[in-house]
Amino acid sequence: MIEQFAKDVDDGLSQAEKKLPSKYFYNKKGDALFVEIMQLPEYYLSRAEMEIFSEQAADIIQAFKQDKGTYFELIELGAGDGTKTRKLLKQLQIEGYHYDYIPVDISKNALDQLEAALHKDLPQVSVKPKHGDYFEILESLKNSHHPKVILFLGSNIGNMPDEIASNFLYQLGSNLSSHDKLLLGADLIKSADVIMPAYNDKKGVTKAFNFNLLQRMNEELEATFDIDNFDHAPEYDEKQGIAKSFLKSKRNHEVAVNATGKIYQFKQGEKIHTETSRKYNDKILSDILQKTDLTIEHKFVDKKHYFADYILQRH
Ligand code: AVI
């Protein structure tokens, strides 16, 4: 794990345009900061998707087209704290469906907390957590022949570049049967005045989330990053619908990373790209799905049309 982290850091910081994989945001501190981000007034994504789940849970479940008498697996990729999914779980209980809820996350910490909270709040729901990388878990899907509904919420897909997203959805689709469903949460393209504050909140939580990557390298890779040498610098390209987060060096300086045995030079104004958060419309999603076996069957949106939950099916 540390070796892989060191390798990814070395790969990213050795490029002409420096970058770091956003998956390393999510250690214990990063998980807590992300939970805080989801509660920020500026971070509309969570509220918009929550509204969809609160007000349209029965319609979403109907769109799953599962047979009430047949057991199915409800698998959530990147479950986090599962707040939105609870609405769905409650409605499934009310309607008498027969299922296991299988949350999947790379954070063991997030999974443990989710399992404990669900055990307390919804004790009737059978929860079978799986700890691991989405791609590993996709492989294990092949071993089960039960009907499946996969949830991939929160616009987590947006953190993948389009080509990776397309490959990921292709792989996901190829592990599904024709009656299985994928519920995909996607943040919709909108103007910069709504998007930018979501990634540059007044309280500075997103900044702390971005800086946590530097602190994590200091702690786990014995690096010498000084956060005072960097600014949190988000950008949004409204035409393309792509938000990006950067750490921008305030001055010329160098940083040693013991685990890679190297020293990295930073020029004043030089940026490290730490995250991409893609925004979608039907055309962008359809283009991404073109190489896959998946097609859009339904689309649920919030009242402001900020966010969409698409139901995809294998054709
Ligand atoms: C998890 N993911 C969808 C979030 C996003 O909006 O890209 C992560 C995040 N980064 C900064 N704020 C939230």
Side-chain angles (χ1 to χ4, degrees):
M1 178 71 193
I2 293 291
E3 289 80 42
Q4 187 59 46
F5 186 19
K7 188 182 173 305
D8 290 344
V9 165
D10 186 42
D11 284 350
L13 297 185
S14 302
Q15 312 227 355
E17 293 191 1
K18 293 185 172 61
K19 58 181 186 180
L20 291 167
S22 58
K23 67 175 176 182
Y24 293 113
F25 282 141
Y26 302 95
N27 62 355
K28 200 166 180 177
K29 185 170 172 203
D31 289 343
L33 285 167
F34 185 55
V35 169
E36 218 183 308
I37 287 174
M38 289 194 288
Q39 289 154 2
L40 290 169
E42 296 95 334
Y43 198 73
Y44 62 86
L45 288 83
S46 312
R47 268 190 317 284
E49 194 172 35
M50 189 67 178
E51 182 207 300
I52 297 172
F53 275 72
S54 302
E55 296 185 10
Q56 302 179 68
D59 295 333
I60 293 172
I61 289 169
Q62 216 176 14
F64 290 163
K65 293 192 189 139
Q66 295 300 312
D67 175 4
K68 265 191 196 161
T70 309
Y71 166 86
F72 73 97
E73 293 174 335
L74 182 68
I75 302 164
E76 181 167 8
L77 303 179
D81 72 350
T83 317
K84 289 162 251 172
T85 318
R86 271 166 218 234
K87 299 279 172 194
L88 218 54
L89 299 176
K90 270 191 197 150
Q91 190 64 29
L92 284 165
Q93 292 300 115
I94 291 169
E95 295 189 23
Y97 280 91
H98 181 41
Y99 67 100
D100 279 336
Y101 171 52
I102 307 176
V104 176
D105 210 289
I106 41 166
S107 166
K108 178 84 173 67
N109 172 53
L111 276 181
D112 290 346
Q113 284 185 18
L114 173 62
E115 193 181 10
L118 286 177
H119 187 68
K120 191 165 159 265
D121 301 343
L122 291 170
Q124 324 86 303
V125 176
S126 161
V127 185
K128 305 242 167 87
K130 279 197 182 168
H131 177 222
D133 200 76
Y134 303 149
F135 290 94
E136 289 164 20
I137 305 297
L138 285 185
E139 271 305 302
S140 72
L141 286 183
K142 281 191 196 137
N143 305 328
S144 151
H145 298 291
H146 296 294
K148 293 177 197 64
V149 175
I150 315 278
L151 309 177
F152 194 38
L153 309 180
S155 208
N156 282 334
I157 189 79
N159 296 135
M160 298 180 195
D162 290 353
E163 187 157 349
I164 309 271
S166 181
N167 291 340
F168 174 73
L169 292 171
Y170 170 77
Q171 265 196 61
L172 184 50
S174 66
N175 286 305
L176 299 182
S177 309
S178 58
H179 47 270
D180 295 341
K181 304 282 175 198
L182 169 62
L183 175 56
L184 182 73
D187 193 18
L188 299 175
I189 290 191
K190 61 191 82 63
S191 62
D193 59 308
V194 179
I195 305 257
M196 279 307 283
Y199 293 93
N200 204 8
D201 62 280
K202 281 207 190 94
K203 226 175 131 190
V205 185
T206 312
K207 178 179 173 177
F209 181 68
N210 204 7
F211 280 180
N212 181 46
L213 204 46
L214 300 177
Q215 284 153 343
R216 185 170 182 186
M217 288 187 284
N218 287 349
E219 284 155 22
E220 296 181 25
L221 306 179
E222 293 179 60
T224 61
F225 283 99
D226 178 349
I227 58 168
D228 290 337
N229 282 335
F230 289 91
D231 276 327
H232 167 61
E235 294 177 9
Y236 177 58
D237 180 334
E238 198 168 320
K239 215 165 144 225
Q240 283 196 69
I242 297 180
K244 289 184 179 172
S245 282
F246 296 92
L247 289 158
K248 192 166 163 186
S249 176
K250 289 187 196 168
R251 49 191 71 90
N252 292 339
H253 72 285
E254 54 182 40
V255 175
V257 181
N258 198 21
T260 68
K262 289 196 190 159
I263 289 174
Y264 304 90
Q265 309 289 335
F266 292 87
K267 294 198 190 79
Q268 183 177 6
E270 188 176 358
K271 295 184 289 187
I272 313 174
H273 177 202
T274 52
E275 187 181 46
T276 294
S277 301
R278 207 245 199 276
K279 311 300 167 196
Y280 299 86
N281 56 29
D282 293 356
K283 163 88 172 69
I284 291 169
L285 183 60
S286 301
D287 287 349
I288 289 172
L289 293 177
Q290 218 165 26
K291 279 192 267 161
T292 75
D293 301 337
L294 298 165
T295 42
I296 300 173
E297 251 199 3
H298 279 277
K299 181 185 179 189
F300 297 93
V301 292
D302 64 300
K303 289 192 195 84
K304 287 184 174 162
H305 288 236
Y306 277 1
F307 199 94
D309 281 297
Y310 289 93
I311 306 261
L312 309 180
Q313 183 174 0
R314 191 169 176 184
H315 52 248

